[in-house]
Amino acid sequence: MAEAVQPGSALAPTGGRPGSALEQAGALFQGVHARLQAMHPARRRWLGASALLVAAVCAGLAWYGSRTDWRPLFSGLDTKDMQQIAQELAAAGIPYRMTEDGSGVEVGSDQVDKARIEVATKGMPQSGRMGFELFDKPNWVGSEFDEKVNYQRALEGELEHTIGTLALVHSARVHLVMPCDALFG
């Protein structure tokens, strides 16, 4: 059997009246207030402290989740390259910041690839060792030996750039010894 509902109770149908939701919220607030007043004061303090702790943990998690995870884009640059890269990143709308020592640029971890491509298309940075950019311009008069040396320099430069992007690495210098096919060569 269906029970009869009192017209003034919280379970009563609203009938589409405009203030009915506000009235229900007020009734709910009064019920919670009455229960809190009926509690022992020590229990109320524990409930308040617990609510504050939960709110602080939620706020901390929200802050941690929304902060930017900065990753190095380049390090060990001279001031001319720093200015050019900063201008290029600003023009592309990529947020960046300078490193503490002032010789590097950091971008958000989700923007590293985009920033690298944007800067590389402009031929930057000019300082430091070059990687495979050595092969961007054809060398028509070079010998096979020159090509091998340039290939080794390009590998060293690319490895320096890659190692330099690691968070704990301040600077890197790479020297490779390539295997020789000859017995006494």
Side-chain angles (χ1 to χ4, degrees):
M1 257 196 181
E3 294 182 25
V5 177
Q6 297 290 334
S9 73
L11 297 176
T14 59
R17 295 184 313 214
S20 61
L22 187 59
E23 290 171 2
Q24 286 180 355
L28 180 66
F29 178 74
Q30 288 175 354
V32 169
H33 183 69
R35 282 188 174 207
L36 284 176
Q37 292 300 322
M39 280 185 177
H40 191 269
R43 199 168 207 187
R44 254 187 302 197
R45 283 192 295 272
W46 275 106
L47 183 64
S50 299
L52 284 175
L53 179 65
V54 167
V57 167
C58 289
L61 287 174
W63 171 80
Y64 185 76
S66 66
R67 69 183 179 91
T68 303
D69 182 23
W70 296 101
R71 297 294 169 118
L73 182 63
F74 293 107
S75 61
L77 299 173
D78 62 9
T79 56
K80 181 182 174 190
D81 279 339
M82 287 288 294
Q83 290 173 350
Q84 289 177 343
I85 290 173
Q87 288 173 354
E88 198 58 45
L89 291 175
I94 299 172
Y96 67 94
R97 73 177 186 186
M98 304 296 180
T99 57
E100 289 84 17
D101 62 356
S103 68
V105 179
E106 294 178 338
V107 295
S109 62
D110 57 337
Q111 297 281 323
V112 171
D113 296 330
K114 180 181 176 185
R116 236 182 249 289
I117 291 172
E118 189 68 36
V119 171
T121 57
K122 306 297 183 194
M124 293 185 260
Q126 298 295 325
S127 63
R129 290 176 94 178
M130 295 179 68
F132 284 106
E133 298 90 11
L134 288 171
F135 296 110
D136 287 345
K137 298 176 186 170
N139 186 3
W140 300 106
V141 294
S143 65
E144 182 181 346
F145 176 76
D146 288 335
E147 284 185 25
K148 286 182 180 180
V149 169
N150 283 339
Y151 179 71
Q152 183 173 346
R153 288 177 50 213
L155 284 176
E156 290 172 349
E158 288 296 322
L159 286 171
E160 279 183 21
H161 293 307
T162 303
I163 293 170
T165 61
L166 298 174
L168 298 176
V169 175
H170 178 68
S171 66
R173 181 87 175 158
V174 175
H175 298 282
L176 294 176
V177 177
M178 304 298 278
C180 189
D181 293 334
L183 185 60
F184 296 106

